[in-house]
Amino acid sequence: MILEKKSGYRKNFSLSVTFIVLISILFILSLFLAFNYSKKSIENEFVSEKVNVLEQSIKPYNEFFQNKMPEVSYYNGFLDSSTASKFVDTVVLKYPFISKVTFYDTEVKNTPVRDGINANHLGIGPKYIYQFGKGINPDSIKLYSEDNTNSFDVSDDFNAMAYKLATFVGQLDTATVPTQEELFTNFSVVNSNDNKISYLNIPRREDLKAYKQMMMRKLNPAPIYQQDMMVFQLDPGKIKIINTRPLLYQSIKVEPMTYDPI
């Protein structure tokens, strides 16, 4: 009788040990799976939240590019050094990542220009060139004038935009109305290598038709139209990084990306 009790006790003890071991294994396995799941979830969140950080950080840039910069067109080409300076002051104050702005007071003529682009009978050239921004010496604001052409090279920035305007006019179908997207694309140039954005005020439809006529033949009297072009020099280091998830990202910084040539 005593032997049967001892045998039953041993069987129950072995079963208990087996049960405890099994529970321990399942517990450890569940911890391992939970750890992997949490790790994967955090990794996915780490990657996905980068988009939110990027969107919030470049929100001022998008606002400038989509809303503020096109305000140049509101002046219909009649900006001068004074009004351009006031416009740039508001831009630089609100968007610190803009370090300098070069303003090209431009004329579109029915006669050849010495500096700029000539396309048949259409001439596109600067009348004055000014630069504005923080730390610019007052003596260095005026860079170019028709009376003093040796003081500054018109540069590729202006010629690239003038060429786009001449090409657009040459291909223009006066019977159709260009879309706003076409106009914005053709009158803005983003130079990511030099951190520049060039923008030419969008001509009115009547002006574009006149440019087409001026390109095709000599008009009498020879008309002169005004255009405004601005080149915004950007400083990416001045873009404020907004960390929307400080518990997820300990630090965020902007670094230039370089690629080795193939």
Side-chain angles (χ1 to χ4, degrees):
M1 188 71 178
I2 295 174
L3 291 175
E4 289 180 358
K5 287 184 177 180
K6 288 183 177 180
S7 177
Y9 173 77
R10 287 175 180 173
K11 288 181 180 179
N12 291 337
F13 178 76
S14 300
L15 183 62
S16 298
V17 171
T18 303
F19 179 75
I20 292 173
V21 171
L22 181 61
I23 291 297
S24 299
I25 293 174
L26 291 175
F27 178 71
I28 294 172
L29 181 61
S30 63
L31 286 178
F32 177 76
L33 293 176
F35 173 78
N36 284 341
Y37 175 79
S38 300
K39 180 182 178 182
K40 192 67 177 177
S41 177
I42 292 174
E43 288 177 350
N44 291 337
E45 189 177 10
F46 185 89
V47 174
S48 63
E49 285 298 320
K50 287 181 181 180
V51 178
N52 293 332
V53 173
L54 177 63
E55 288 179 350
Q56 291 299 318
S57 299
I58 66 172
K59 186 177 180 180
Y61 169 80
N62 290 333
E63 179 185 332
F64 160 74
F65 187 78
Q66 297 172 3
N67 299 323
K68 189 63 179 180
M69 187 176 69
E71 289 183 9
V72 176
S73 293
Y74 295 169
Y75 297 90
N76 292 319
F78 292 102
L79 277 171
D80 56 21
S81 60
S82 177
T83 51
S85 176
K86 292 178 181 178
F87 176 80
V88 172
D89 286 343
T90 61
V91 170
V92 174
L93 182 63
K94 188 173 182 179
Y95 307 103
F97 52 83
I98 298 176
S99 59
K100 185 179 70 173
V101 179
T102 306
F103 167 56
Y104 296 80
D105 190 358
T106 306
E107 289 185 337
V108 180
K109 304 179 179 181
N110 200 202
T111 56
V113 295
R114 180 172 49 185
D115 296 313
I117 295 293
N118 293 296
N120 295 336
H121 301 290
L122 185 70
I124 307 170
K127 183 170 57 174
Y128 299 103
I129 303 177
Y130 303 91
Q131 63 176 352
F132 306 102
K134 296 179 180 178
I136 293 179
N137 193 308
D139 296 335
S140 303
I141 292 177
K142 189 175 183 179
L143 301 176
Y144 172 96
S145 68
E146 291 178 312
D147 300 329
N148 185 13
T149 60
N150 295 325
S151 60
F152 184 74
D153 183 8
V154 174
S155 81
D156 293 335
D157 292 327
F158 180 84
N159 287 336
M161 182 61 77
Y163 178 78
K164 289 194 71 171
L165 174 59
T167 302
F168 183 81
V169 171
Q171 299 173 350
L172 178 67
D173 182 1
T174 56
T176 61
V177 180
T179 65
Q180 287 299 316
E181 183 178 355
E182 289 175 333
L183 292 173
F184 187 82
T185 302
N186 279 278
F187 297 117
S188 60
V189 177
V190 178
N191 188 339
S192 57
N193 293 328
D194 296 329
N195 296 323
K196 292 180 181 179
I197 301 178
S198 301
Y199 183 82
L200 181 73
N201 74 284
I202 298 176
R204 296 171 298 182
R205 188 184 179 194
E206 294 77 11
D207 295 344
L208 289 172
K209 289 181 178 180
Y211 295 170
K212 184 79 171 182
Q213 294 177 350
M214 292 162 62
M215 178 179 286
M216 296 173 62
R217 63 182 184 275
K218 284 276 190 179
L219 301 179
N220 189 17
I224 298 177
Y225 287 82
Q226 305 297 320
Q227 291 282 159
D228 295 323
M229 173 182 165
M230 286 192 175
V231 178
F232 300 89
Q233 183 72 51
L234 308 182
D235 183 358
K238 294 292 182 64
I239 295 178
K240 184 180 179 181
I241 303 299
I242 301 176
N243 189 354
T244 57
R245 297 295 300 274
L247 297 179
L248 191 61
Y249 304 111
Q250 183 176 1
S251 64
I252 303 175
K253 59 182 178 179
V254 178
E255 291 185 349
M257 297 181 64
T258 58
Y259 299 91
D260 295 329
I262 299 177

